[in-house]
Amino acid sequence: MTYSFRRQVTSAADGTFSLGLFGETWSISFDEFDAAEFRGLLAPQMNVALTDGELREGVVFVFMTTTSTISGTVTGVGVGGVSGTYVTADVMAGATNYHASGFTLNDGTYSFRVFNGTWQITVGNVSDQGLANPGPQTRTISGDTVVDWSLPPLPPSLALQSVPPGQFQITLTRSEEH
């Protein structure tokens, strides 16, 4: 049986906080909307393994200042801009992961702030829109960078169904919007 626990705390004005946890591996994340939107910062994401009774003090989480923008357009071959999907980017700085994302608008454009480094950029699942999901792109960011995506339609699929002995049935389908 799997249990999910969530603990939340608000830091003091100087950034310090205290949070009582039991022995387990915890995924630490921050409500970064205020930090990203108003201060130009990206919050760290990391896992911390604790044992029961352990007191861990002096843990420092470093928020990174954004210095660049990743922007672009997600288009589908023959269908134009792809709206309503996330484009995400992740980078490891030491043992700490940083994550940034943007949502595609009606014309398929997106934009989000990052700091310089080598980011893995990914488009969210678009198969429900009849398009093939692309693999990630790795880009070294050292200033504003455009990353465009042109996604092909899903390939036709072939399904074989079980029928009485000596017979077979083949169904060929292709996703296509008209």
Side-chain angles (χ1 to χ4, degrees), residues 76-144:
V77 173
V79 296
V82 177
S83 66
T85 192
Y86 277 100
V87 178
T88 62
D90 290 277
V91 66
M92 289 297 292
T96 305
N97 181 59
Y98 291 88
H99 176 84
S101 65
F103 199 67
T104 57
L105 303 176
N106 288 337
D107 61 357
T109 60
Y110 69 93
S111 176
F112 51 87
R113 303 276 304 155
V114 296
F115 55 88
N116 293 344
T118 302
W119 291 80
Q120 183 168 322
I121 307 162
T122 307
V123 172
N125 188 346
V126 291
S127 62
D128 61 339
Q129 297 185 46
L131 299 169
N133 290 313
Q137 293 188 36
T138 301
R139 294 287 183 92
T140 299
I141 307 299
S142 61
D144 293 347

Side-chain angles (χ1 to χ4, degrees), residues 15-166:
T16 60
F17 65 93
S18 178
L19 184 62
L21 301 172
F22 54 86
E24 187 63 59
T25 298
W26 294 88
S27 177
I28 308 292
S29 61
F30 297 85
D31 180 3
E32 64 182 275
F33 178 78
D34 182 52
E37 192 69 22
F38 302 112
R39 298 182 183 160
L41 301 172
L42 278 182
Q45 296 178 335
M46 54 194 316
N47 293 326
V48 176
L50 300 173
T51 57
D52 283 334
E54 178 181 359
L55 177 62
R56 190 164 306 177
E57 297 180 320
V59 177
V60 176
F61 297 100
V62 177
F63 284 65
M64 299 294 285
T65 301
T66 58
T67 56
S68 302
T69 300
I70 296 175
S71 62
T73 305
V74 179
T75 57
V77 173
V79 296
V82 177
S83 66
T85 192
Y86 277 100
V87 178
T88 62
D90 290 277
V91 66
M92 289 297 292
T96 305
N97 181 59
Y98 291 88
H99 176 84
S101 65
F103 199 67
T104 57
L105 303 176
N106 288 337
D107 61 357
T109 60
Y110 69 93
S111 176
F112 51 87
R113 303 276 304 155
V114 296
F115 55 88
N116 293 344
T118 302
W119 291 80
Q120 183 168 322
I121 307 162
T122 307
V123 172
N125 188 346
V126 291
S127 62
D128 61 339
Q129 297 185 46
L131 299 169
N133 290 313
Q137 293 188 36
T138 301
R139 294 287 183 92
T140 299
I141 307 299
S142 61
D144 293 347
T145 302
V146 174
V147 180
D148 290 326
W149 304 79
S150 179
L151 310 179
L154 283 173
S157 61
L158 183 63
L160 217 48
Q161 296 182 339
S162 177
V163 292

